[in-house]
Amino acid sequence: MNWDELDWNILDRLREQFLTAAPGDYWKSPADLAQYDFTFAQRIAWKWDAVLAELQRLYWTPPPGPLLDWGCGSGIAGRRVCKTFAIKQRLVYDRSALAMNFAGGERWQGEAPGILVLSHVINELKELPAVIHQAEAVIWVEPGTFADSRALIAAREKLRDRFHVVAPCTHREKCGITGTDWCHFFADPPAGVMADPNWVRFAQRAGIDLRSLPYSYLVLESRSRLKTAPTGTTARVIGEPRRYKGYAKALLCNATGVRDTMIQKRDVPLKTIRSGSVLARLKT
């Protein structure tokens, strides 16, 4: 694929299906997957890059065993995780045979995965897939909408007995999100994308904002693998912080709950506070 080969009939149809959550398979031909993987899937990959960078910051390592990209689509999520952690065996599963063929890897035969990858599937789930309970670890990324975030929080609460939460939570207590708040973050596009005329033209034609990459995510790990539990003394910035002269305000989440908090410049360099930042020694 290259930019001269974009097929807007395919891309418009796919975008409409994504936005309306229309039933049925998205993929009508291998060309659908190639067009998607070259464009819309890259924006999903940038969200995955943000999540994987945070796991590396936490010095988290995946369990042994194969990776299963469940609901793989074009396979972008599984490929990103395998590259980051040098995972050799990648299994794929999707209701679409076209998708599994395009994604590559080995077709899943029902074996328990070491790490389960879930990407943008939650609005299609009526119940949690049974394979979650077979996995040693789960990395799950969804859009950063209110509905998707709240659905992911509901999944977290159902799975807390089976797994420990690695991220984004800095604690293992019940989620403190209430009311109109939701747990979401913003990824940055790769350097140079905003100045790339091909991406700029694509964004204008597709009606998307390259600067806005909201996502929600959940990383779980089998209790048998736990070595050090988070103390809950740190807090994570949810959404975007608001900066003012000499201070910032941000929605912070820690073991005591979720609260809008003022952060003084004397306590934390304000330039370091970003969506998803983990801050220490701050009372919320």
Side-chain angles (χ1 to χ4, degrees):
M1 276 290 300
N2 61 57
W3 291 106
D4 294 329
E5 296 174 331
L6 295 188
D7 186 327
W8 281 104
N9 289 325
I10 291 175
L11 293 171
D12 287 342
R13 175 178 58 79
L14 290 175
R15 180 161 172 76
E16 180 65 20
Q17 284 186 273
F18 298 150
L19 291 175
T20 60
D25 286 339
Y26 300 126
W27 320 116
K28 308 300 182 185
S29 71
D32 290 3
L33 287 142
Q35 295 282 327
Y36 168 80
D37 195 68
F38 189 72
T39 55
F40 294 124
Q42 296 306 310
R43 299 182 74 244
I44 291 176
W46 302 339
K47 300 177 186 182
W48 274 92
D49 289 345
V51 172
L52 295 171
E54 176 62 13
L55 290 177
Q56 291 179 305
R57 189 194 69 79
L58 294 172
Y59 299 103
W60 185 81
T61 56
L67 175 146
L68 171 59
D69 189 348
W70 193 93
C72 60
S74 71
I76 193 72
R79 296 198 303 270
R80 269 313 205 260
V81 179
C82 283
K83 181 178 179 180
T84 297
F85 294 116
I87 296 172
K88 301 300 183 183
Q89 187 178 11
R90 178 169 59 92
L91 309 177
V92 295
Y93 169 77
D94 198 283
R95 65 188 180 190
S96 167
L98 284 172
M100 289 188 285
N101 288 340
F102 185 92
E106 305 170 39
R107 291 202 181 189
W108 180 52
Q109 302 298 322
E111 62 267 48
I115 181 170
L116 176 65
V117 167
L118 299 169
S119 183
H120 294 64
V121 298
I122 204 162
N123 64 359
E124 301 177 16
L125 296 178
K126 294 183 179 179
E127 58 185 29
L128 295 178
V131 68
I132 288 181
H133 297 279
Q134 301 173 30
E136 286 296 303
V138 180
I139 310 180
W140 193 342
V141 176
E142 292 291 341
T145 67
F146 179 89
D148 291 321
S149 169
R150 284 301 186 90
L152 200 54
I153 289 170
R156 174 195 189 272
E157 296 307 297
K158 290 179 180 178
L159 295 168
R160 279 199 301 140
D161 290 342
R162 165 72 174 85
F163 295 96
H164 287 296
V165 182
V166 176
C169 312
T170 61
H171 62 88
R172 292 193 164 87
E173 306 303 321
K174 182 179 179 180
C175 179
I177 292 283
T178 59
T180 58
D181 294 326
W182 71 103
C183 185
H184 67 294
F185 308 93
F186 290 89
D188 293 323
V193 164
M194 299 302 298
D196 185 322
N198 290 310
W199 272 111
V200 171
R201 284 194 295 268
F202 172 79
Q204 291 172 343
R205 173 63 176 78
I208 58 176
D209 185 352
L210 289 176
R211 298 166 299 177
S212 180
L213 290 167
Y215 66 97
S216 53
Y217 76 105
L218 181 62
V219 182
L220 304 169
E221 182 175 53
S222 169
R223 287 176 176 264
S224 63
R225 294 194 76 233
L226 179 70
K227 295 180 174 61
T228 304
T231 62
T233 57
T234 57
R236 191 179 294 277
V237 175
I238 295 175
E240 285 282 20
R242 292 94 67 201
R243 293 180 175 83
Y244 305 95
K245 187 175 181 180
Y247 70 97
K249 286 186 175 181
L251 196 65
L252 298 186
C253 171
N254 69 5
T256 66
V258 178
R259 296 177 183 84
D260 203 31
T261 306
M262 179 182 291
I263 306 167
Q264 299 289 347
K265 182 178 180 180
R266 64 174 180 270
D267 297 325
V268 179
L270 300 184
K271 290 183 179 179
T272 67
I273 302 173
R274 305 181 66 189
S275 178
S277 294
V278 174
L279 307 179
R281 297 183 298 279
L282 282 176
K283 296 180 179 180
T284 60

